[in-house]
């Protein structure tokens, strides 16, 4: 403690003696941080603790400000320089540095006037763009601290899944401003790496060129390891099991590049990696890491009928095993909430509360995708009476096998075979586990080689729901991938979602696969993705209204050589939209001035249509 006090006093004196910061912000800040970094390294020469490592890391991050050159400018006219801590400037192993720098800072220097306002459009755009680049190159980032430098001033920012939190402006031309900057800087330097944004459960191993990742085993497959006895209560994911400390964890070794990374850090920030149980084995598993949104800012839980993907896959595995089904599905090996070893005796669940502490008492300004206002508890603050209080949970799971995307298949026959088998699995899962997928799309059907057989597998059960659950029966909302969503889903019709909605999504997927050219595919994507949900629904109502309307769309967009795919589209359209009791998509006005919507009416005949 005496060493820390001495270090703090030294840095404060250094800041108080620094002059001219307001006159020459870049050079003054760079010189000051370079001195601070040197002082920290001298004060902690033999530090081996995470605090000492963090001090050196932050020192390098700030030192990097002085190396910003013209190549890092976003544009000459904006006079914006983006920078981040680059530890390999001082480290001997550049590969290790590139992938272990999640605890460095993202920074922006700008002379733009709009950056002086905390939530100006320009500043927010730069922060979002900089954070997205930072996160894509560092898969082990949980959140990040950022610095925004303007002429003579600095702001600190905390960037997390749902918000950007900015500090008040610190005037570097005043003694109080420099003292406040030093206090924040010292706090960051003496913080553990997890407080700076790094994920200690995910480490890059230069000796094997793989990520070493710990996956919690709140839920585990009792058959995954024949020599290991299943933990009592681990097979079924109950509320008590989900939020209790895990008895075990599973370590896997993932390839450097992710199979999938979300476009933006903000939101779920889903990443998937090909992984193996041992450091040198060929990857045969998929590790999925994401930040799940829970509509409960008090207990961190959810209602019993609001299962997440881990719970859904756990149920599918147990029910399909009991039925001895031959369907292919993602077999869950283990999963749960990531834990962080803090200064407390027990490992803490990695949530937005752990990151934000007192700042966790915020309300989101919009209802998130997949939720309705009726699904979430009322907020306790009167400032935003319509916004739910929410929390993020850092969830991770390991499943198998690893598949390949539909785009990798070479022949039309293989594509049809994989789609048919995947939808067979869809039917089996619905029959035995009572789970409706609700997100049939291009990226959610994989081809899997099992022996000499080519099989189809549905993945991504984030939107999977018990077919009889309350949230599927009452105000089910609109969830899924926009271009592939059914009409009822797009319009958010107040009717339960059924298997027929997923089969309608398959028609849209077939259109994507059978497009006559990339231009035609892009045009379809533009039509479905660049209008609002009701606009896309109107387009689909027109497309599927009659057989003639369907033929017109086929002639416009599809390659006539894809005979099997086009025939499959026609057969599905006939079964779904040409049923005698709910034909077409246009609303019918009866004599009593009551409107009948065949899309809504279709729910009554869903089982009959599905059987066809």
């Amino acid at each position: 403690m005496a060493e820390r006090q001495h270090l703090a006093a030294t840095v404060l004196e250094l800041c108080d003696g620094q002059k001219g910061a307001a006159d020459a912000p870049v050079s003054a800040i760079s010189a000051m941080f370079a001195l601070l970094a040197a002082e920290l390294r001298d004060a902690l020469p033999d530090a081996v603790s995470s605090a000492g490592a963090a001090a050196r890391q932050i020192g390098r991050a700030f030192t990097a400000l002085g190396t910003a050159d013209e190549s890092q400018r976003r544009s000459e006219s904006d006079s914006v320089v983006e920078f981040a801590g680059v530890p390999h400037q001082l480290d001997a192993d550049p590969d290790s540095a590139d992938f272990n720098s999640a605890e460095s800072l993202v920074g922006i220097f700008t002379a733009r006037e709009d950056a002086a306002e905390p939530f100006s459009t320009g500043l927010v755009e730069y922060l979002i763009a900089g954070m997205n680049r930072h996160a894509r190159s560092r898969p082990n980032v949980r959140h990040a601290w950022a610095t925004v430098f303007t002429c003579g001033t600095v702001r600190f920012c905390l960037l997390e899944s749902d918000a950007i939190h900015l500090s008040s402006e610190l005037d570097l031309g005043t003694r109080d401003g420099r003292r406040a900057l030093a206090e924040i800087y010292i706090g960051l330097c003496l913080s553990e790496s997890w407080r700076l944004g790094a994920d200690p459960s995910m480490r890059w191993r230069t000796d094997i060129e793989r990520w070493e990742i710990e996956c919690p085993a709140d839920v585990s497959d009792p058959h995954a390891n024949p020599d290991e006895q299943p933990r009592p209560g681990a097979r079924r994911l109950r509320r008590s099991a989900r939020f209790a400390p895990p008895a075990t964890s599973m370590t896997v070794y993932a390839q450097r590049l992710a199979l999938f990374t979300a476009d933006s850090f903000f939101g779920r920030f889903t990443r998937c990696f090909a992984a193996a149980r041992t450091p040198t084995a060929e990857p045969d598993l998929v590790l999925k890491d994401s930040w799940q949104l829970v509509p409960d800012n008090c207990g961190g839980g959810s209602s019993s009928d609001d299962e997440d993907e881990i719970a859904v896959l756990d149920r599918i595995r147990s029910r399909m095993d009991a039925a001895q089904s031959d369907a292919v599905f993602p077999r869950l090996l283990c999963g749960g909430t990531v834990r962080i070893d803090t200064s407390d005796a027990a490992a803490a669940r990695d949530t937005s509360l752990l990151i934000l502490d007192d700042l966790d008492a915020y309300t989101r300004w919009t209802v998130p995708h997949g939720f309705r206002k009726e699904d979430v508890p009322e907020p306790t603050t009167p400032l935003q009476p319509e916004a739910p209080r929410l929390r993020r949970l850092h969830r991770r799971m390991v499943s198998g096998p690893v598949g390949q995307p539909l785009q990798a298949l070479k022949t039309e026959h293989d594509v049809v075979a994989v789609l048919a088998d995947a939808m067979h699995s869809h039917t089996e899962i619905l029959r035995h586990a009572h789970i409706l997928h609700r997100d049939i799309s291009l990226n959610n059907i994989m081809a899997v080689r099992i022996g000499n057989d080519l099989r189809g597998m549905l993945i991504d059960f984030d939107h999977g729901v018990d077919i009889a659950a309350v949230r599927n029966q009452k105000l089910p909302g609109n969830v899924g991938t926009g271009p592939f969503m059914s009409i009822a889903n797009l319009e958010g019709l107040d009717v339960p979602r059924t298997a027929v909605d997923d089969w309608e999504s398959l028609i849209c997927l077939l259109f994507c696969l059978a497009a006559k050219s990339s231009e035609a595919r892009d045009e379809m994507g533009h039509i479905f993705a660049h209008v609002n949900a009701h606009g896309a629904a109107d387009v689909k109502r027109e497309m599927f209204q009659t057989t003639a309307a369907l033929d017109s769309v086929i002639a416009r967009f599809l390659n006539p050589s894809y005979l099997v795919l086009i025939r499959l589209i026609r057969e599905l359209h006939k079964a779904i939209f040409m049923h005698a009791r709910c034909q077409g998509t246009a609303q019918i006005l009866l004599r009593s001035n009551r409107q009948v919507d065949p899309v809504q009416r279709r729910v009554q005949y869903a089982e009959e249509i599905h059987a066809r």
Side-chain angles (χ1 to χ4, degrees), residues 148-164:
V148 179
F149 297 93
T150 57
C151 294
T153 64
V154 61
R155 292 180 186 273
F156 279 84
C157 312
L158 173 61
L159 300 98
E160 48 92 13
S161 298
D162 294 305
I164 300 174

Side-chain angles (χ1 to χ4, degrees), residues 505-525:
S505 296
L506 182 64
I507 297 180
C508 300
L509 173 56
L510 291 169
F511 264 94
C512 179
L513 294 172
K516 64 173 63 176
S517 64
S518 58
E519 291 78 11
R521 185 180 299 108
D522 292 343
E523 185 178 354
M524 284 191 291

Side-chain angles (χ1 to χ4, degrees), residues 447-611:
V448 179
R449 284 283 180 188
I450 300 179
N452 295 325
D453 297 329
L454 183 63
R455 304 292 303 272
M457 178 176 68
L458 285 175
I459 64 169
D460 194 355
F461 281 80
D462 275 323
H463 297 304
V465 65
D466 187 321
I467 194 67
V470 172
R471 69 186 178 108
N472 188 53
Q473 299 293 327
K474 182 180 180 182
L475 298 175
N478 49 353
V479 296
T481 304
F484 305 96
M485 290 165 61
S486 69
I487 295 171
N489 205 352
L490 285 167
E491 294 182 348
L493 298 181
D494 188 12
V495 291
R497 302 295 174 260
T498 68
V500 178
D501 289 281
D502 283 356
W503 284 95
E504 182 182 333
S505 296
L506 182 64
I507 297 180
C508 300
L509 173 56
L510 291 169
F511 264 94
C512 179
L513 294 172
K516 64 173 63 176
S517 64
S518 58
E519 291 78 11
R521 185 180 299 108
D522 292 343
E523 185 178 354
M524 284 191 291
H526 181 81
I527 291 173
F528 293 135
H530 291 78
V531 294
N532 58 36
H534 280 277
D538 290 342
V539 171
K540 290 186 178 183
R541 280 184 181 270
E542 184 177 346
M543 285 174 53
F544 300 141
Q545 165 61 15
T546 63
T547 302
L550 179 70
D551 289 341
S552 175
V553 176
I554 289 175
R556 177 181 174 185
F557 291 112
L558 303 192
N559 186 338
S561 65
Y562 290 129
L563 298 176
V564 181
L565 291 176
I566 293 175
R567 187 175 67 190
L568 187 55
I569 289 173
R570 295 187 192 280
E571 291 296 327
L572 287 172
H573 177 266
K574 180 180 178 181
I576 296 172
F577 293 101
M578 296 292 108
H579 189 278
R581 298 296 183 91
C582 49
Q583 188 171 4
T585 58
Q587 296 185 358
I588 303 170
L589 182 63
L590 302 179
R591 291 182 179 179
S592 59
N593 289 329
R594 183 172 65 90
Q595 283 191 333
V596 175
D597 186 349
V599 175
Q600 285 186 305
R601 187 177 174 86
R602 198 173 64 192
V603 174
Q604 303 176 32
Y605 306 98
E607 292 186 7
E608 182 180 334
I609 295 173
H610 188 206

